[in-house]
């Protein structure tokens, strides 16, 4: 699992990975049981079995803690190898939708995104901890499809990077809107339709 990016701390005793794990797990549990609005650092500390000051040494506040707790869920996303680009995309879309269906992801993500509209530092943390980290799926998926001969090789690295950003925005935006805004099921039929639209766009670009 990739590393978290909690708040900087003063030099001192080494951080405990076990404490970090317990705190993030406790945060997700609190999101499920209480929701974002009622979650407090004191409650998280009690659930994790640590002092409240331990949280403040690692995270600047509640929003940053929730971002990292939710980001850990998205680190579970994996690029499947189903033999075709279409099947691989459908697999990622269904994984993504399943994570967003979890109450801790749904309530946590919606809350911090709303908070980030007036907090540039929080918005950057979301971008770095969640968005940028998951763009690897697009990069790896395109590379695999190119090796299979399903997509042409990228001649211009800058253009390839811009295209990867756009693909991620299209897929992530569609899944988030479907599951969190429209509150409709992102099932296999829907994932297949989204994939078909995306691949037609890629074919047109090629």
């Amino acid at each position: 699992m990739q590393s978290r990016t909690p708040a900087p701390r003063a030099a001192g005793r080494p951080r405990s990975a076990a404490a970090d794990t317990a705190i993030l797990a406790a945060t997700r549990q609190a999101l499920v049981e209480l929701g974002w609005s009622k979650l407090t650092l004191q409650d998280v500390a009690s659930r994790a079995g640590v002092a409240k000051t331990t949280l403040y040494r690692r995270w600047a506040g509640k929003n940053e803690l929730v971002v990292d707790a939710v980001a850990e869920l998205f680190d579970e996303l994996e690029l499947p190898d189903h033999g075709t680009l279409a099947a691989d995309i459908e697999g990622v879309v269904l994984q993504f939708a399943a994570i967003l269906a979890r109450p801790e992801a749904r309530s946590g993500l919606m809350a911090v995104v709303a908070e980030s509209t007036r907090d540039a530092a929080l918005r950057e943390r979301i971008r770095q901890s969640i968005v940028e980290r998951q763009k690897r799926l697009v990069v790896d998926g395109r590379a695999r499809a190119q090796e299979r001969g399903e997509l042409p090789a990228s001649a211009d690295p800058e253009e390839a990077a811009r295209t990867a950003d756009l693909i991620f925005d299209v897929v992530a935006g569609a899944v988030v809107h479907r599951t969190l805004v429209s509150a409709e099921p992102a099932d296999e039929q829907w994932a297949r339709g989204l994939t078909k639209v995306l691949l037609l766009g890629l074919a047109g670009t090629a």
Side-chain angles (χ1 to χ4, degrees):
M1 181 171 290
Q2 302 176 47
S3 60
R4 300 266 62 80
T5 55
R9 68 182 185 94
R13 291 183 301 173
R15 285 180 47 172
S16 165
D20 285 356
T21 298
I23 291 167
L24 293 175
T27 301
R28 291 190 292 271
Q29 182 185 46
L31 283 169
V32 172
E33 297 178 9
L34 304 175
W36 178 86
S37 62
K38 294 182 180 180
L39 181 150
T40 66
L41 294 186
Q42 182 60 62
D43 180 72
V44 170
S46 298
R47 291 170 186 264
V50 301
K52 187 177 178 181
T53 53
T54 301
L55 271 71
Y56 280 114
R57 284 199 298 267
R58 289 159 164 77
W59 289 276
K62 169 178 168 178
N63 289 329
E64 292 76 12
L65 173 61
V66 170
V67 169
D68 284 2
V70 172
E72 198 167 62
L73 294 177
F74 288 106
D75 280 345
E76 296 175 9
L77 284 169
E78 295 181 350
L79 179 66
D81 188 354
H82 294 315
T84 67
L85 177 58
D88 291 352
I89 293 174
E90 288 177 28
V92 171
V93 167
L94 291 172
Q95 286 182 60
F96 189 19
I99 289 174
L100 288 177
R102 296 168 65 167
E104 62 270 41
R106 184 169 59 248
S107 64
L109 185 61
M110 292 286 276
V112 294
V113 167
E115 290 293 308
S116 73
T117 60
R118 54 181 180 269
D119 186 337
L122 179 61
R123 187 161 59 248
E124 177 63 14
R125 191 183 192 95
I126 293 170
R127 190 180 71 82
Q128 291 291 341
S129 297
I130 299 177
V131 177
E132 292 299 324
R133 295 169 72 84
Q134 302 312 323
K135 284 184 180 178
R136 61 185 170 81
L137 298 169
V138 175
V139 174
D140 294 347
R142 290 190 76 201
R144 180 186 291 167
Q146 288 167 350
E147 291 174 0
R148 291 174 179 153
E150 295 177 284
L151 292 175
S154 304
D156 182 349
E158 291 186 2
E159 178 62 27
R162 286 193 294 270
T163 300
D165 286 347
L166 180 57
I167 294 169
F168 181 86
D169 289 345
V170 169
V171 174
V175 177
V176 168
H177 188 278
R178 178 75 175 181
T179 57
L180 300 186
V181 180
S182 297
E184 295 288 344
D187 53 19
E188 291 185 8
Q189 182 179 5
W190 183 84
R192 193 172 302 116
L194 173 62
T195 300
K196 187 174 182 180
V197 171
L198 181 62
L199 290 178
L200 284 173
L202 288 174
T205 300

